[in-house]
Amino acid sequence: MSVRFALLALLEQGPKYGYQLRSEFEQRTGSTWPLNVGQVYTTLTRLERDGLVEGAGSDEQGHVVYRVTDAGRDEVATWFTTPVARTQPPRDELAIKLALAVTVPGVDVGTVIQQQRSATIRALQDYTRLKRQEPLDLAWSLVLESLVFAAEAEVRWLDHCEARVRRAAAEAPAPEPSRTDEKQETTR
Amino acid sequence: MSVRFALLALLEQGPKYGYQLRSEFEQRTGSTWPLNVGQVYTTLTRLERDGLVEGAGSDEQGHVVYRVTDAGRDEVATWFTTPVARTQPPRDELAIKLALAVTVPGVDVGTVIQQQRSATIRALQDYTRLKRQEPLDLAWSLVLESLVFAAEAEVRWLDHCEARVRRAAAEAPAPEPSRTDEKQETTR
DNA sequence: ACAGCCATGTAACTTGTTACATGATTTT
DNA sequence: AAAATCATGTAACAAGTTACATGGCTGT
């Protein structure tokens, strides 16, 4: 729903047209989350279908302009006042991947972790490089820092996982798959 | 794609049936990411359509069992060896929300931040409570810790945002919206 | 003339997600 | 007997996403 709400929120600043919405969105989130223009138009159509925006004719340059409705304003207000639910956070692909890597036999968890850490550290360096580009918009700057904080946490978590997996391997041996035909344990 | 890959990876342990796949998935990710059984069946159908799994008849109890194909095994191997791309991470709704909150006039960023911090801290306490439940599966335990690390990072980021927003407010006054009719600044 | 950006759209598709139907088996 | 759980599915839809078509305008 992020894109949907973002466009709605942007329209609260005043009527805007599709292409403009994309550039304003990308101005705030930088190159991190590029937004396909097509999606702006599909989203606008769906917002209009749901009565949250309405067409507002054309501006002086002939742009097709949309305006937020009262229902739309309500929606944005609710969005801003309601915290993002952390009780059921979005599925984290990396967490799922590691959870399965420690489970499925024949997967080298150590390698998975190391590869991921390299990738994350590389991303972290990209962020640092971006930060040095002086004239940073406040919004874009905050987004960038959220990425930095998240990536740092990810690296720490990966280190933590590595340690725990090593410890678990030390306790329960089972180093070789060694042709011990897989016994199907029931999960009930 | 998380669910898709997760089911595929689970099937590498040997043929399984739909209901079983759900319980095995939830055993590893705890109650964090509940998986609707229906989705298991739709996903299995789509995996079969794409040639990554195939029906394997019924087991002794009459369960409809699926088995991973060679193409499916390749897919899983690639998934495990390819790090999750942090160059274009999934859109973070909270980051987007704050980026827009500091932009759209009339939104009280301070309140947004405080509410979110409360919610995140509450989630953090839930995680701590869950951790105390002794017999934790390794996978589920790692997932839980990833949530903890992420939530802690989020709180730190929110604190950071609060400080930056306060500083920005001190530099540029603009405290009241004060009926100064919105002047549309062009974004070009 | 041509390349490239601005601008508006549409068709097609993917994954995720839920609500519902249906029946078997198990527990109370 | 009733309630709960196991088990398999289907229909329908939402949001995200991209590839493509189309045309105007601008700079070289």
Side-chain angles (χ1 to χ4, degrees):
Chain A
M1 309 281 294
S2 311
V3 173
R4 199 178 148 93
F5 281 121
L7 297 191
L8 213 47
L10 283 173
L11 285 174
E12 281 229 319
Q13 292 177 110
K16 300 198 196 304
Y17 58 94
Y19 213 84
Q20 187 184 8
L21 283 168
R22 182 183 68 163
S23 46
E24 296 215 1
F25 179 86
E26 293 203 339
Q27 189 198 327
R28 283 161 182 80
T29 58
S31 43
T32 326
W33 300 308
L35 180 56
N36 187 300
V37 205
Q39 192 174 348
V40 174
Y41 293 106
T42 52
T43 305
L44 279 174
T45 309
R46 289 161 187 177
L47 283 170
E48 191 169 30
R49 174 200 63 188
D50 300 339
L52 304 179
V53 306
E54 56 189 8
S58 311
D59 68 1
E60 316 79 46
Q61 286 99 55
H63 294 133
V64 182
V65 163
Y66 285 85
R67 157 195 332 131
V68 64
T69 64
D70 288 345
R73 253 179 294 272
D74 279 7
E75 198 86 352
V76 179
T78 311
W79 185 55
F80 276 126
T81 52
T82 311
V84 172
R86 287 315 187 209
T87 38
Q88 289 189 352
R91 294 206 184 95
D92 180 354
E93 186 173 346
L94 176 57
I96 290 176
K97 189 186 280 196
L98 272 202
L100 288 168
V102 298
T103 297
V104 176
V107 177
D108 185 354
V109 201
T111 310
V112 175
I113 294 178
Q114 283 161 35
Q115 297 248 319
Q116 184 65 50
R117 187 170 35 217
S118 303
T120 308
I121 288 177
R122 231 172 297 134
L124 213 38
Q125 289 164 345
D126 289 346
Y127 299 150
T128 320
R129 206 168 303 129
L130 279 173
K131 255 200 205 167
R132 273 201 292 271
Q133 289 169 15
E134 290 296 326
L136 274 193
D137 188 85
L138 174 60
W140 163 219
S141 161
L142 294 181
V143 169
L144 192 50
E145 273 152 359
S146 102
L147 294 173
V148 170
F149 277 62
E152 286 172 348
E154 192 170 296
V155 172
R156 279 196 296 272
W157 178 66
L158 286 168
D159 290 343
H160 177 83
C161 286
E162 208 171 35
R164 285 211 50 180
V165 167
R166 240 198 309 262
R167 227 188 315 146
E171 285 168 13
E176 300 276 330
S178 77
R179 272 305 77 223
T180 320
D181 250 44
E182 60 269 355
K183 193 103 192 0
Q184 196 70 24
E185 70 273 21
T186 16
T187 320
R188 318 273 194 86
Chain B
M1 309 283 293
S2 310
V3 174
R4 198 177 148 91
F5 281 120
L7 297 191
L8 213 47
L10 283 174
L11 284 175
E12 282 229 320
Q13 291 178 111
K16 300 198 196 303
Y17 58 94
Y19 212 84
Q20 187 184 8
L21 282 168
R22 181 182 71 163
S23 47
E24 296 214 1
F25 179 87
E26 293 202 339
Q27 188 198 327
R28 284 159 181 79
T29 58
S31 43
T32 328
W33 301 307
L35 179 56
N36 188 299
V37 205
Q39 191 174 349
V40 175
Y41 293 106
T42 52
T43 305
L44 279 174
T45 310
R46 289 161 187 176
L47 283 170
E48 191 168 29
R49 172 199 65 188
D50 299 340
L52 304 178
V53 307
E54 55 188 12
S58 312
D59 67 1
E60 315 79 49
Q61 286 99 55
H63 294 133
V64 181
V65 163
Y66 286 85
R67 156 194 335 132
V68 64
T69 65
D70 288 345
R73 252 179 295 272
D74 278 7
E75 198 85 351
V76 179
T78 310
W79 186 55
F80 275 126
T81 53
T82 311
V84 172
R86 286 316 186 209
T87 39
Q88 288 191 352
R91 295 207 182 94
D92 179 354
E93 186 173 346
L94 177 57
I96 291 176
K97 190 187 280 197
L98 272 202
L100 287 169
V102 299
T103 298
V104 177
V107 177
D108 185 353
V109 200
T111 310
V112 175
I113 293 177
Q114 282 160 36
Q115 297 248 319
Q116 184 65 50
R117 186 169 35 217
S118 303
T120 307
I121 288 176
R122 232 172 297 133
L124 214 39
Q125 289 164 346
D126 289 346
Y127 299 151
T128 319
R129 205 168 304 129
L130 279 173
K131 256 199 206 167
R132 273 200 294 270
Q133 289 169 15
E134 289 297 325
L136 273 192
D137 188 86
L138 173 61
W140 163 221
S141 163
L142 293 181
V143 168
L144 192 50
E145 273 153 0
S146 103
L147 294 172
V148 170
F149 277 61
E152 286 173 348
E154 190 170 297
V155 172
R156 280 197 295 272
W157 177 65
L158 286 168
D159 291 343
H160 177 82
C161 287
E162 209 170 35
R164 286 211 50 179
V165 168
R166 240 198 308 266
R167 228 188 312 145
E171 285 168 12
E176 300 276 329
S178 77
R179 270 308 73 222
T180 319
D181 249 47
E182 60 270 354
K183 193 100 184 18
Q184 197 69 25
E185 70 274 19
T186 17
T187 320
R188 319 274 193 86

